Amino acid sequence: MKHENPHHKHSHPHSEPQHAHPSGGHAAHTGHDKHAGHTPEMFRDRFFVSLLLTLPILYFSEHFQDWFGYRAAQFPGSAWVNPVLGTILYFYGGLVFLKGALRELRARTPGMMTLIALGITAAYGYSLAVSLGLPGKPFYWELATLIDVMLLGHWLEMASVQAASRALEELSKLMPTTAHRILGDRIEDIPVSALKEGDLILIRPGEQVPADGVVVEGASTMNEAFLTGESRPVPKEPGDEVIAGAVNGEGALKVRVTRTGEATTLSQILRLVQEAQASRSRFQALADRVAGWLFYIALTLGTLTFLVWLALGRDFNFALSLAVTVVVIACPHALGLAIPLVTVNATALAARHGILVRNREAFERAREIRFVALDKTGTLTEGRFAVRAIYAEEFSEEEVLSLAAALEAFSEHPLAQAIVEAAEGRGLPRPEVRDFQAVPGKGVEGTLEGKRYRVGRPEWAEELGLRVSEALKRGLQEAEGRGESAVALMDEERVLAYFALADRIRPSAKEAVQRLKAMGLTPVMITGDAEAVAKTVAQELGIERYHARVLPQDKARIVRELKTQGPTAFVGDGINDAPALLEADLGIAIGAGTNVAIEAADLVLVESDPLDVVRALLLARATYAKMVQNLFWATGYNAIALPLAAGVAYPLGIVLSPAVGALFMSLSTVIVALNATLLRRVRLD
């Protein structure tokens, strides 16, 4: 069960106010935050300055001169170029790690910062001693490259989690500062900050929408790529929602403002992404723990190396050189990049598919999921009716549908609208209606082509004593057996047809269920509908386990029961689903659209496509695999390099010099970087 976070309470209208979410505030992050007070820009600036200082260090390095067969320029004081630049680099580029190490040591939790500080301090201290007369070869270039790579790693780590919000912040900066408010027959330009809910505004072609609203007049298309990741224009006509930040296409629109300022979708996404930044990556924490272990290993092995070689009669300088080599090599460059590089690529891939990760730890846990509980209405189905079947005897389907649609066009009832949509979908004409009348609780009636017709509940036909053929009776029984809603078309003597209507199943729902099963997951459908409806939808989708007649408050109980059998994800549309989303090991809110601030969810899917659930779980698995692989490549070489650096193979004439050790480190860093970029090639479709 997820725990409360005192920093963050629900404000979403459909959420449960008494619950809070772990990713919402910063409480979890403050306990272990190696980046307290740091910004990506600070790491970036220090990285580039350090990189500039590194170039002359590499040029004057004896190892580089030997490898590339050149001799560095000699001038008075040239021998002190590397000691001076190394000192500047140690205190300028390395300061952030030294301070971080102090914080970790005070908290008695040595981690990545402590390991880096140990490596650079050993390299710098020994190199300076050599420059001042101690026999041996200095480690200035190893010191420089170690600081450079670690600064780069920490810059990437911070930049990756801020990349999404940066794009949104840039978008919010580009937001129009003025809006065209319509007052009667005149238009006035006012600051966007002065807009109020209910104002009528004009959005001209090519302009950005200044506030969320509903189209009142006009037709156009909008680019909503920042929200959905899709650059495809979205058609807009009266009644459709528009969102602040979207770019209007070719038509002018009159829009009624519904949300302004902090309440807009864009502002909610910004806040949501900031919360995601506060959530801790479990794998980054693991990398820090590995670094902590390596810190103790480096200290122990370095000390043992020094003492053992002294005991074996070797001179002080030889023993010290090997001991320092062990400590420097124990700090792998790649470990600093292992997780950040994967995070960068996973974040980009998720954003491209309209997947917003609110809780990074829950996202990384997603690979363990065994059960996926899916709310039926709004997730697997569209939550609106469609005509599934037409039962007619003497007339064609087109004839009865045309007659029924003509009468139902005057009704606002959802079943009536579904019949009208079905007729429009087939391009059927609607005869003119005369003497239309709505009969409360029964249906509608009117005269079409000189004849009186009625459309309404089947019980109305019984009350009127109208004839029903055996074939139509069987059709009605079939519809009722499937839990579908039936609508009758009648003339003054008999029932002419029955229309069976059901909640429209999303086109991709069946494929999503099949793919979940192919991944070894068990889909479980949860619905408040009757048993017959649940059974029909479950059979159509190929779902074996379902729960019918579930009250909203009981969804969390079912999720809790599933969790006793294995890790469980819950997928809902966010309406009345907050308790179940919180209860699940992974809460996925689907079809958020403009309502992205679904507080209870770990993942928010912008679109209403069930396949996005599959994509999110596939991405989570691929991300986990890359993180594990990178941790292996980043630390695996230590198993070989450390014993060699300690001189285990010295009797065979093999000693791993710091230079060769650094090459090994560079190789593992390259492997880690290439491996992380392969994540972008993962096929989610």
Side-chain angles (χ1 to χ4, degrees):
M1 181 71 185
K2 297 177 183 174
H3 301 292
E4 284 201 1
N5 179 348
H7 291 257
H8 199 86
K9 294 294 179 188
H10 288 302
S11 56
H12 184 260
H14 300 301
S15 299
E16 300 287 311
Q18 68 269 28
H19 289 282
H21 197 272
S23 69
H26 300 271
H29 204 51
T30 52
H32 185 107
D33 193 353
K34 65 187 180 209
H35 294 319
H38 300 158
T39 63
E41 291 73 26
M42 185 274 286
F43 279 110
R44 181 198 64 203
D45 295 346
R46 285 183 185 248
F47 166 70
F48 282 117
V49 171
S50 299
L51 190 61
L52 283 173
L53 293 172
T54 299
L55 295 176
I57 290 177
L58 296 179
Y59 172 73
F60 282 102
S61 163
E62 289 181 29
H63 287 123
F64 269 67
Q65 292 181 52
D66 293 343
W67 288 339
F68 295 104
Y70 71 91
R71 278 289 154 258
Q74 299 295 312
F75 52 85
S78 62
W80 286 97
V81 170
N82 278 5
V84 170
L85 292 180
T87 300
I88 295 169
L89 200 55
Y90 175 74
F91 286 107
Y92 174 74
L95 187 63
V96 63
F97 304 117
L98 298 172
K99 285 182 175 177
L102 279 175
R103 275 199 301 273
E104 287 180 350
L105 290 172
R106 280 196 198 110
R108 297 182 182 178
T109 55
M112 185 73 76
M113 292 293 195
T114 313
L115 181 62
I116 298 167
L118 176 67
I120 63 174
T121 301
Y124 173 67
Y126 180 76
S127 301
L128 193 61
V130 170
S131 297
L132 293 171
L134 185 77
K137 285 200 171 184
F139 294 166
Y140 288 117
W141 83 267
E142 290 93 335
L143 165 72
T145 53
L146 183 55
I147 288 174
D148 291 347
V149 171
M150 289 306 167
L151 285 171
L152 175 64
H154 287 74
W155 170 31
L156 283 175
E157 182 188 355
M158 292 193 73
S160 69
V161 291
Q162 289 201 359
S165 66
R166 184 59 46 81
L168 291 164
E169 282 164 11
E170 289 303 317
L171 181 68
S172 60
K173 283 178 195 167
L174 294 172
M175 287 279 289
T177 52
T178 58
H180 316 304
R181 184 164 63 183
I182 301 171
L183 290 173
D185 57 356
R186 65 188 180 89
I187 298 171
E188 63 172 8
D189 285 357
I190 62 165
V192 170
S193 56
L195 278 177
K196 296 191 297 293
E197 194 177 320
D199 281 350
L200 187 65
I201 58 173
L202 174 69
I203 301 167
R204 297 187 175 112
E207 290 185 339
Q208 272 192 303
V209 181
D212 291 4
V214 176
V215 178
V216 174
E217 187 183 314
S220 185
T221 57
M222 292 238 172
N223 183 337
E224 298 177 348
F226 82 92
L227 179 70
T228 62
E230 291 265 346
S231 55
R232 187 177 66 244
V234 181
K236 298 292 178 184
E237 53 189 36
D240 289 340
E241 264 195 302
V242 296
I243 47 179
V247 179
N248 188 22
E250 66 287 347
L253 296 173
K254 288 183 180 178
V255 170
R256 182 77 62 192
V257 174
T258 55
R259 287 188 291 263
T260 61
E262 291 301 308
T264 63
T265 302
L266 180 62
S267 297
Q268 290 174 13
I269 293 179
L270 268 169
R271 184 168 60 81
L272 186 149
V273 172
Q274 284 157 4
E275 288 168 4
Q277 291 167 15
S279 76
R280 185 81 178 130
S281 166
R282 191 166 52 150
F283 277 89
Q284 191 56 53
L286 176 59
D288 287 344
R289 279 207 305 279
V290 169
W293 300 332
L294 283 174
F295 168 74
Y296 290 118
I297 291 169
L299 270 185
T300 306
L301 198 56
T303 305
L304 280 174
T305 300
F306 179 70
L307 295 175
V308 167
W309 283 112
L310 279 183
L312 290 173
R314 299 296 304 198
D315 64 80
F316 176 86
N317 291 339
F318 177 83
L320 183 62
S321 170
L322 288 187
V324 172
T325 303
V326 166
V327 172
V328 173
I329 283 177
C331 182
H333 297 50
L335 191 59
L337 294 173
I339 304 307
L341 283 175
V342 176
T343 307
V344 168
N345 289 285
T347 304
L349 202 54
R352 263 209 313 274
H353 287 86
I355 300 166
L356 296 170
V357 180
R358 290 194 67 231
N359 185 342
R360 286 162 69 193
E361 192 171 337
F363 179 62
E364 290 163 10
R365 263 202 321 268
R367 66 177 182 90
E368 301 164 0
I369 296 298
R370 293 290 168 266
F371 296 94
V372 180
L374 301 127
D375 187 36
K376 180 187 83 74
T377 308
T379 302
L380 296 170
T381 64
E382 294 181 4
R384 59 195 186 101
F385 285 100
V387 175
R388 186 199 60 83
I390 300 173
Y391 303 100
E393 209 171 17
E394 296 177 25
F395 299 87
S396 70
E397 287 188 5
E398 284 74 14
E399 285 175 308
V400 294
L401 188 56
S402 180
L403 291 169
L407 285 167
E408 295 285 44
F410 293 89
S411 172
E412 291 295 316
H413 196 283
L415 295 178
Q417 290 175 352
I419 289 172
V420 172
E421 282 178 19
E424 288 174 348
R426 298 192 189 194
L428 300 177
R430 294 206 296 262
E432 188 182 347
V433 179
R434 295 182 183 278
D435 305 325
F436 175 82
Q437 188 180 353
V439 183
K442 312 280 187 187
V444 295
E445 59 181 325
T447 303
L448 295 154
E449 297 170 346
K451 194 172 181 181
R452 197 73 177 164
Y453 291 96
R454 296 183 180 90
V455 179
R457 300 172 62 200
E459 292 83 357
W460 195 13
E462 289 177 32
E463 291 170 17
L464 294 168
L466 302 180
R467 293 198 317 274
V468 185
S469 71
E470 288 303 315
L472 288 178
K473 282 181 183 175
R474 284 195 298 274
L476 181 60
Q477 286 169 356
E478 181 185 318
E480 289 176 343
R482 290 171 59 92
E484 294 168 343
S485 300
V487 173
L489 170 67
M490 309 158 261
D491 62 14
E492 293 185 292
E493 298 172 4
R494 61 195 168 147
V495 174
L496 304 176
Y498 284 119
F499 301 91
L501 295 99
D503 191 357
R504 193 193 307 259
I505 292 175
R506 293 195 183 278
S508 61
K510 191 166 187 177
E511 186 189 346
V513 168
Q514 289 171 344
R515 288 183 64 181
L516 287 173
K517 286 181 171 180
M519 291 168 69
L521 305 174
T522 304
V524 180
M525 187 179 78
I526 299 176
T527 179
D529 286 339
E531 173 70 24
V533 177
K535 185 177 180 182
T536 299
V537 174
Q539 283 177 342
E540 281 194 34
L541 295 176
I543 295 175
E544 287 79 28
R545 294 179 64 172
Y546 64 88
H547 297 265
R549 294 192 179 280
V550 178
L551 296 172
Q553 59 268 32
D554 290 334
K555 290 177 186 175
R557 176 182 54 78
I558 291 169
V559 170
R560 199 155 43 243
E561 289 169 4
L562 286 171
K563 280 170 67 179
T564 62
Q565 301 166 50
T568 301
F570 177 79
V571 186
D573 60 5
I575 300 170
N576 300 322
D577 289 337
L581 286 166
L582 279 166
E583 181 65 51
D585 296 298
L586 180 70
I588 304 175
I590 191 170
T594 55
N595 185 23
V596 293
I598 295 172
E599 307 286 353
D602 299 309
L603 297 185
V604 178
L605 310 180
V606 173
E607 301 285 3
S608 296
D609 186 355
L611 278 173
D612 279 347
V613 176
V614 179
R615 294 183 187 110
L617 293 174
L618 282 172
L619 179 58
R621 288 185 176 187
T623 302
Y624 168 79
K626 287 294 172 209
M627 285 179 171
V628 169
Q629 290 164 15
N630 271 8
L631 285 178
F632 169 77
W633 286 113
T635 57
Y637 94 103
N638 271 320
I640 300 168
L642 284 179
L644 290 177
V648 168
Y650 181 74
L652 303 173
I654 301 170
V655 178
L656 188 67
S657 71
V660 177
L663 282 176
F664 268 136
M665 278 197 286
S666 301
L667 183 62
S668 71
T669 304
V670 170
I671 292 171
V672 160
L674 290 175
N675 191 43
T677 56
L678 289 176
L679 187 62
R680 287 177 182 249
R681 303 181 69 175
V682 170
R683 292 183 61 84
L684 301 181
D685 293 308

